Amino acid sequence: MRTWLMKSEPDVFSILHLAAQHVAGWDGVRNYQARNFLRMMRKGDRALFYHSNAHPPAIVGMIEIVQEAYPDSTQFDPASDHFDPASKREAPRWDQVDVKFLKVFGRELSLEEIRQIPQLQNMLLLKRPRLSIQPVTPEEWNFILKRVQD
DNA sequence: GCCAACGTTGGC
DNA sequence: GCCAACGTTGGC
């Protein structure tokens, strides 16, 4: 099982939205590096759900990949904010995965706290602040889970 | 709302 | 292929 971190703005799609839907498509990714990570995801992989553009920005819960990468239909929809006129149906440029809600952590781990934890200084979250889908090492994963226990 | 960081586009 | 212009992300 690989572990990941996935960002979403809670005003748009929060972990509570996912908890209500139980399973949802993770669409709208429009960055090649993030897409390439999406394509590496396998059924059963788990991810930290991160609230970006939030108060405070923080890791708030855990989700599971339940459907591996397949074409994101919003890229073909002119009415969508994520419409990509350059993407062709014969060769879709953008993929999505489906994710399942697992839990909201007993306590959040804010970006500010992460910055102060020596064991988490190499997280891509700190090094590549704009990357919305990123791998998390087993060491980081285990450390974070201990920190957010109920 | 501002703006720094940084990814993408497109002219040359 | 370089790089300036532009657009977006996301913290503050």
Side-chain angles (χ1 to χ4, degrees):
Chain A
M1 177 192 79
R2 293 199 215 203
T3 54
W4 309 91
L5 180 145
M6 301 170 78
K7 296 184 188 177
S8 182
E9 299 185 32
D11 289 349
V12 179
F13 188 75
S14 75
I15 194 155
L16 294 181
H17 290 118
L18 180 60
Q21 293 177 232
H22 192 57
V23 171
W26 198 279
D27 59 17
V29 172
R30 294 295 180 270
N31 167 281
Y32 289 105
Q33 195 174 3
R35 180 204 67 185
N36 292 342
F37 283 132
L38 270 186
R39 288 179 172 173
M40 292 170 62
M41 290 177 167
R42 293 295 171 261
K43 205 169 171 177
D45 283 1
R46 292 186 168 186
L48 300 167
F49 196 118
Y50 178 88
H51 280 168
S52 60
N53 262 317
H55 309 287
I59 291 168
V60 296
M62 195 197 299
I63 62 183
E64 180 176 330
I65 310 306
V66 292
Q67 177 64 55
E68 297 177 9
Y70 62 99
D72 173 353
S73 63
T74 64
Q75 69 194 300
F76 305 121
D77 177 5
S80 169
D81 288 343
H82 303 298
F83 178 56
D84 180 355
S87 184
K88 300 284 173 267
R89 284 189 180 273
E90 317 83 77
R93 180 176 293 183
W94 305 112
D95 282 357
Q96 68 174 79
V97 295
D98 290 347
V99 300
K100 179 175 77 173
F101 172 78
L102 290 184
K103 70 186 296 186
V104 174
F105 292 136
R107 62 190 197 86
E108 299 186 350
L109 186 61
S110 72
L111 179 61
E112 189 182 2
E113 291 175 88
I114 292 167
R115 284 212 174 99
Q116 293 167 359
I117 296 173
Q119 293 89 333
L120 300 181
Q121 291 311 294
N122 287 324
M123 284 192 78
L124 282 177
L125 188 65
L126 303 183
K127 298 190 175 290
R128 299 284 320 283
R130 293 180 48 184
L131 185 60
S132 64
I133 306 282
Q134 44 187 267
V136 172
T137 69
E139 292 77 16
E140 291 161 353
W141 179 268
N142 291 332
F143 187 90
I144 290 167
L145 286 201
K146 257 186 281 176
R147 277 301 183 102
V148 297
Q149 286 312 334
D150 295 1

